[in-house]
Amino acid sequence: MKLRKVSTAVVAVASLSLALSACGGEKGGKGKDGDKIVIGIKYDQPGMGLKTQDGKFTGFDVDVARYVAKELGYTEDKIEFKQAPSAERENLISNGDVKFVAGTYTINDKRKAKVDFAGPYFMAHQDLLVRADDNTITKVEDLNSKKLCSVTGSTSAQNVKEKLAPKANLQTLGGYSECLNGLENKAVDALTTDGTILAGYAAQKENQGKFKLVGLKLSDEPYGIGLKKGDKDLQSKINAALEKMQKDGSWQKAVEANLGPANYKADPAPAITEKG
């Protein structure tokens, strides 16, 4: 008789634990209380996705993420941002650590094998950043015999070196800030990556007036919002939010606020093509 009571109690406790797990430990980018949304962004890209020293989040991608979250029904206090380094974006999405990622996330077939995308919401292009008083670099071929800087592992730098300016003296450093220092000190002649990222750095207060974008379009980089593969409902809702953001003027305002100080000339908002 006692054994039966103990067994019944164990079953009851196990059932309760499972119920609590289902409620509180839900993944899919929600907080433990189920009413928050976790969004992956970049923390180190001024103008696009930046966590400031006082803990605030700024940038065009951040503005897009906030707008989409609001359209999904989440108020500002229910949004939680999580750092999403380039190499970790697919894992964060697949594991349910974030609901979606908005972080200079170029849509391509390799990534689409692992995650789905909504958008695109922005068309970026690879460009060059040079000193404001430098008029010797106006086209990519001018990089031949010049010192070109980019970050270690950058596909942008290899694109220039292998295809566009094979005689360029390519130097790779640990971060964009190091390249900027080298550019300012004339240790290098140009920095290359997506124009949006370059514009963000050039627009920082401490850098204003020091650098300029050459204004080239060395590649097409359609930025999309990454989400779990097969979640067509979420994809559809995010696409609707992006379309609304374009139509009500919020998209253009976000571009001007975040990239305008660097005189970045953005392409018009792209047509949304990633649909279920």
Side-chain angles (χ1 to χ4, degrees):
M1 194 70 176
K2 284 183 181 178
L3 184 59
R4 282 184 60 193
K5 284 184 178 178
V6 170
S7 298
T8 304
V10 169
V11 170
V13 169
S15 300
L16 181 59
S17 297
L18 285 171
L20 288 172
S21 294
C23 252
E26 183 180 355
K27 280 201 170 187
K30 290 187 179 180
K32 289 184 178 180
D33 53 2
D35 65 352
K36 287 190 176 184
I37 184 168
V38 182
I39 303 171
I41 60 167
K42 292 294 182 66
Y43 276 20
D44 59 352
Q45 292 181 347
M48 295 304 290
L50 181 71
K51 184 177 182 180
T52 61
Q53 290 184 342
D54 57 1
K56 293 180 180 178
F57 299 96
T58 64
F60 178 73
D61 281 342
V62 175
D63 288 346
V64 170
R66 285 190 173 119
Y67 190 99
V68 169
K70 183 180 177 183
E71 290 300 305
L72 292 176
Y74 296 91
T75 54
E76 182 76 24
D77 61 315
K78 300 299 183 185
I79 300 172
E80 179 184 329
F81 290 116
K82 185 178 182 68
Q83 188 172 19
S86 296
E88 292 299 317
R89 288 177 296 201
E90 286 87 27
N91 287 336
L92 288 169
I93 294 168
S94 300
N95 294 338
D97 296 318
V98 297
K99 193 71 172 175
F100 62 81
V101 169
T104 56
Y105 204 1
T106 298
I107 300 169
N108 62 38
D109 289 340
K110 184 178 179 181
R111 290 168 179 165
K112 285 169 69 172
K114 299 177 181 177
V115 300
D116 278 341
F117 285 94
Y121 62 89
F122 194 90
M123 180 62 76
H125 306 279
Q126 184 183 344
D127 201 352
L128 302 174
L129 191 72
V130 297
R131 288 181 293 278
D133 60 355
D134 187 346
N135 297 312
T136 65
I137 301 174
T138 58
K139 57 187 185 295
V140 70
E141 290 81 8
D142 293 335
L143 288 173
N144 284 311
S145 76
K146 298 278 189 178
K147 293 177 182 177
L148 174 66
C149 190
S150 196
V151 297
T152 303
S154 166
T155 55
S156 300
Q158 293 303 321
N159 185 39
V160 171
K161 178 68 176 171
E162 294 173 8
K163 301 176 184 177
L164 306 172
K167 293 182 181 178
N169 180 4
L170 177 60
Q171 300 182 14
T172 55
L173 299 176
Y176 292 116
S177 296
E178 295 172 55
C179 283
L180 277 174
N181 289 336
L183 190 57
E184 184 176 3
N185 299 330
K186 299 187 178 182
V188 298
D189 301 302
L191 165 60
T192 189
T193 188
D194 292 0
T196 49
I197 299 171
L198 297 175
Y201 278 104
Q204 285 186 298
K205 285 185 179 180
E206 63 268 29
N207 294 327
Q208 286 181 15
K210 295 180 181 178
F211 311 108
K212 66 181 180 183
L213 280 90
V214 176
L216 304 178
K217 295 183 177 180
L218 304 178
S219 68
D220 291 334
E221 308 292 339
Y223 292 165
I225 291 182
L227 59 140
K228 186 167 283 190
K229 197 156 186 65
D231 195 341
K232 300 303 178 186
D233 181 58
L234 181 60
Q235 182 187 52
S236 177
K237 288 176 179 176
I238 293 177
N239 279 334
L242 294 174
E243 287 177 344
K244 183 178 178 181
M245 187 178 187
Q246 293 174 8
K247 288 176 182 175
D248 69 13
S250 299
W251 185 91
Q252 188 61 38
K253 279 184 182 179
V255 169
E256 291 170 2
N258 293 292
L259 301 174
N263 296 318
Y264 181 84
K265 293 176 176 60
D267 285 12
I272 290 172
T273 57
E274 297 300 312
K275 299 178 180 180

